[in-house]
């Protein structure tokens, strides 16, 4: 039995005004002058300054040359993160080769690339320090089927003259490895996608200190009139269940950054939703499918408990509005003729989301974990599914399970790949 999506209308979410989240560590290294006790002699300060210079020189020698990228090549989308340095000195700018300037200008002066590439400006992280450099982190996505155009762009801009190896994760890092080599003259350093996912989640949550909190939840998810989005601090996050909803779904039990296991997964994920919507409604993009679903009514398509029992199934506490059979009403020719494409899209969304929620809840019970974090590009522009998941977790667990969501949704694997470039594990 599952939710029908009707109880979870897509209301506007009120964002509570709460203090912005502070970085996990507020320890700041004092400069040498301030840190020196009164009376310390000049030679001690010289030694300290010399040590600092040596450390700085060491960092410069070990960090890779620009540009800095991390890439996650999924079954549906390619996610790219790019670090744009903002502290370039006059000397560096004079020595910088034209190819590097061209790539930086192209990526940062556009918000769209071709017909399908998008830079998610609202997710950009400003004034971030990585490997001793300060800059902005940009988040870019495009459909996997357009990867050849990306490789051609890299070839045209002579990317291989700057880098010979690109850190990449996701199944496409294996599938398209030869294409990178032959079309763009690039080698891929292939990384485990689940390692990158967890590393990226924990890193982004630790550095977001201004603007909306990275992590949030829905308060009062079972009451549509009072349901609001609230910030949540992921300090001391373990254990947690991490549910990655991409083309398919992987569910991880995470006990520390290095101690986790894949509990299970399902092939019914975001790719299933979009594929079925394309077949049933004729839509062609995820955004179009979500827009159609937001205007539809799934109860015209699904068979509910009340359609079978005439009301609630009280013995087992099943409400009449719960879904007894997804698409069950479509056995009737009369009902098939009365539903709209929007209804079919909404029912597809509800079916996929309910299935993910049901499997997640069983995993949480088996692993004895009460905190569940949902990530992945299926949740992009998809408040319907987020609220339905929050409702399901809260309702069926009687308030014991909390569904958490993250602002950067599907980019964590790419962030993890970038971190491996800068700090090899």
């Amino acid at each position: 039995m599952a939710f029908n999506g009707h109880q979870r209308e897509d209301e506007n979410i009120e964002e509570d005004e709460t203090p912005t989240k502070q970085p996990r560590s507020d320890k700041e290294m004092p400069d040498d002058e301030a840190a020196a006790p009164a009376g310390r002699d000049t030679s001690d300060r010289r030694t300290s300054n010399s040590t600092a210079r040596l450390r700085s020189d060491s960092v410069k020698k070990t960090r890779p040359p620009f540009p800095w990228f991390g890439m996650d090549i999924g079954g549906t989308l390619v996610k790219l993160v790019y670090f744009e340095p903002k502290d370039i000195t006059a000397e560096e700018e004079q020595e910088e080769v034209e190819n590097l300037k061209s790539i930086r200008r192209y990526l940062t002066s556009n918000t769209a690339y071709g017909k399908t590439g998008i830079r998610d400006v609202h997710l950009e992280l400003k004034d971030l320090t990585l490997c001793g450099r300060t800059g902005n982190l940009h988040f870019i996505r495009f459909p996997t089927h357009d990867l050849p155009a990306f490789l051609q762009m890299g070839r045209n801009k002579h990317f291989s003259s700057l880098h010979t190896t690109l850190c990449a994760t996701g199944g496409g890092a294996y599938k398209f490895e030869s294409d990178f080599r032959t079309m763009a003259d690039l080698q891929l350093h292939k990384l485990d996608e689940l390692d990158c996912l967890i590393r990226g989640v924990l890193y982004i949550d630790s550095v977001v200190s201004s603007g909306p909190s990275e992590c949030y939840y829905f308060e009062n998810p079972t009451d549509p009139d009072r349901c609001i989005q609230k910030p949540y601090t992921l300090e001391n996050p373990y254990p947690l269940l991490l549910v990655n909803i991409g083309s398919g779904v992987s569910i991880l039990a995470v006990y520390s950054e290095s101690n986790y296991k894949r509990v299970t997964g399902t092939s019914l994920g975001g790719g299933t939703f979009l594929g079925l919507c394309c077949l049933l409604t004729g839509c062609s993009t995820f955004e179009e499918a979500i827009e159609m679903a937001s205007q539809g009514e799934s109860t015209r398509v699904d068979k509910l408990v009340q359609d079978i029992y005439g009301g609630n199934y009280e013995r087992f506490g099943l409400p009449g509005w719960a879904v007894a059979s997804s698409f069950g009403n479509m056995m009737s020719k009369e009902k098939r003729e009365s539903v709209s494409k929007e209804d079919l899209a909404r029912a597809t969304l509800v079916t996929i989301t309910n299935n993910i929620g049901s499997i997640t809840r069983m995993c949480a019970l088996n692993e004895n974990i009460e905190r569940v974090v949902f990530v992945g590009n299926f949740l992009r522009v998809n408040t319907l599914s987020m609220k339905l998941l929050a409702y399901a977790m809260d309702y069926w667990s009687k308030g014991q399970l909390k569904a958490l969501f993250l602002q950067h949704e599907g980019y964590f694997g790419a962030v993890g790949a970038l971190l491996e470039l800068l700090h090899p594990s």
Side-chain angles (χ1 to χ4, degrees):
M1 302 297 177
F3 292 111
N4 62 33
H6 181 64
Q7 304 290 328
R8 310 289 300 146
E9 293 298 336
D10 191 26
E11 308 86 18
N12 290 329
I13 302 168
E14 297 177 24
E15 184 79 43
D16 269 21
E17 291 187 6
T18 57
T20 55
K21 181 178 138 184
Q22 297 302 311
R24 286 188 181 173
S25 174
D26 56 1
K27 297 176 182 176
E28 296 182 359
M29 294 297 294
D31 61 45
D32 296 309
E33 295 293 330
R40 179 178 291 177
D41 60 33
T42 304
S43 63
D44 283 346
R45 286 199 297 273
R46 285 175 181 163
T47 301
S48 177
N49 288 336
S50 176
T51 302
R53 279 195 299 273
L54 286 172
R55 287 197 190 114
S56 177
D57 291 343
S58 176
V59 169
K60 288 179 182 177
K61 289 178 181 178
T62 57
R63 66 188 174 206
F66 289 123
W68 293 351
F69 287 103
M71 201 170 192
D72 180 4
I73 311 172
T76 305
L77 283 178
V78 176
K79 287 77 66 179
L80 185 73
V81 295
Y82 166 64
F83 180 80
E84 174 200 7
K86 302 296 288 185
D87 57 353
I88 298 175
T89 65
E91 182 181 1
E92 285 178 318
E93 189 169 8
Q94 187 174 3
E95 294 177 354
E96 196 173 55
V97 296
E98 187 57 37
N99 291 348
L100 184 56
K101 293 178 182 177
S102 173
I103 289 172
R104 185 168 65 247
R105 280 196 301 266
Y106 177 71
L107 292 177
T108 60
S109 63
N110 294 290
T111 57
Y113 313 93
K115 294 182 179 179
T116 57
I118 298 292
R119 178 160 62 93
D120 285 314
V121 179
H122 66 287
L123 296 179
E124 181 180 337
L125 295 178
K126 296 180 180 294
D127 300 322
L128 201 64
T129 299
L130 276 173
C131 262
R133 299 302 299 259
T134 300
N136 301 337
L137 198 59
H138 298 274
F139 298 85
I140 298 166
R141 56 183 162 84
F142 57 89
T144 304
H145 61 72
D146 284 338
L147 185 61
F150 169 81
L151 294 178
Q152 186 59 51
M153 183 272 289
R155 187 181 186 89
N156 293 343
K157 294 187 178 297
H158 307 288
F159 186 87
S160 62
S161 68
L162 305 168
H163 269 301
T164 56
T165 302
L166 186 64
C167 284
T169 188
Y174 296 84
K175 180 178 180 180
F176 301 109
E177 182 177 16
S178 63
D179 294 333
F180 275 83
R181 189 167 52 249
T182 58
M183 295 179 65
D185 197 24
L186 286 170
Q187 298 292 328
L188 289 184
H189 178 38
K190 301 184 294 296
L191 304 164
D192 181 82
E193 62 180 306
L194 300 183
D195 286 342
C196 288
L197 170 67
I198 292 171
R199 194 173 182 183
V201 167
L202 297 176
Y203 175 77
I204 291 295
D205 182 69
S206 72
V207 298
V208 172
S209 59
S210 61
S213 172
E214 177 64 25
C215 186
Y216 62 94
Y217 69 100
F218 292 98
E219 189 175 77
N220 305 313
T222 56
D223 185 346
D225 294 330
R226 298 171 56 229
C227 180
I228 56 173
Q229 181 177 318
K230 302 269 286 188
Y232 186 89
T233 301
L234 257 187
E235 288 182 350
N236 302 316
Y238 310 112
L240 63 85
L241 207 64
L242 187 61
V243 184
N244 187 28
I245 314 174
S247 299
V249 182
S250 283
I251 301 178
L252 312 176
V254 184
Y255 302 98
S256 73
E257 184 173 358
S258 58
N259 180 17
Y260 71 88
K261 64 180 180 180
R262 185 180 187 274
V263 180
T264 189
T266 172
S267 61
L268 306 181
T272 315
F273 165 69
L274 180 55
L276 287 174
C277 278
C278 290
L279 283 172
L280 294 170
T281 71
C283 71
S284 57
T285 67
F286 181 77
E287 289 79 4
E288 188 180 353
I290 290 294
E291 176 61 26
M292 293 179 76
S294 70
Q295 298 174 21
E297 178 51 78
S298 62
T299 56
R300 299 192 184 105
V301 178
D302 297 333
K303 190 180 289 293
L304 309 182
V305 168
Q306 65 194 22
D307 295 329
I308 299 172
Y309 283 88
N312 301 334
Y313 188 5
E314 295 181 357
R315 180 183 177 187
F316 294 107
L318 295 174
W321 47 260
V323 178
S325 175
S326 297
F327 282 77
N329 281 339
M330 294 300 92
M331 293 181 285
S332 164
K333 180 181 178 182
E334 179 183 348
K335 291 186 177 180
R336 283 200 302 272
E337 293 173 347
S338 67
V339 298
S340 66
K341 291 181 178 181
E342 289 77 11
D343 296 335
L344 292 170
R346 179 67 165 251
T348 304
L349 185 71
V350 170
T351 297
I352 298 300
T353 305
N354 277 337
N355 183 63
I356 294 169
S358 177
I359 294 172
T360 298
R361 179 173 171 268
M362 287 188 287
C363 290
L365 289 173
N366 289 339
E367 298 297 324
N368 195 28
I369 294 176
E370 297 181 354
R371 192 162 19 189
V372 182
V373 179
F374 292 94
V375 299
N377 270 301
F378 175 67
L379 301 176
R380 181 173 54 84
V381 298
N382 189 3
T383 305
L384 279 170
S385 286
M386 286 191 284
K387 294 177 75 176
L388 190 58
L389 287 167
Y391 194 156
M393 294 296 102
D394 185 82
Y395 184 88
W396 294 114
S397 72
K398 295 180 171 58
Q400 294 302 304
L401 288 178
K402 184 181 290 293
L404 304 173
F405 304 94
L406 300 174
Q407 300 285 352
H408 285 83
E409 293 153 348
Y411 282 106
F412 299 109
V415 172
L418 173 66
L419 294 176
E420 180 64 23
L421 170 71
L422 303 178
H423 307 287
S425 57

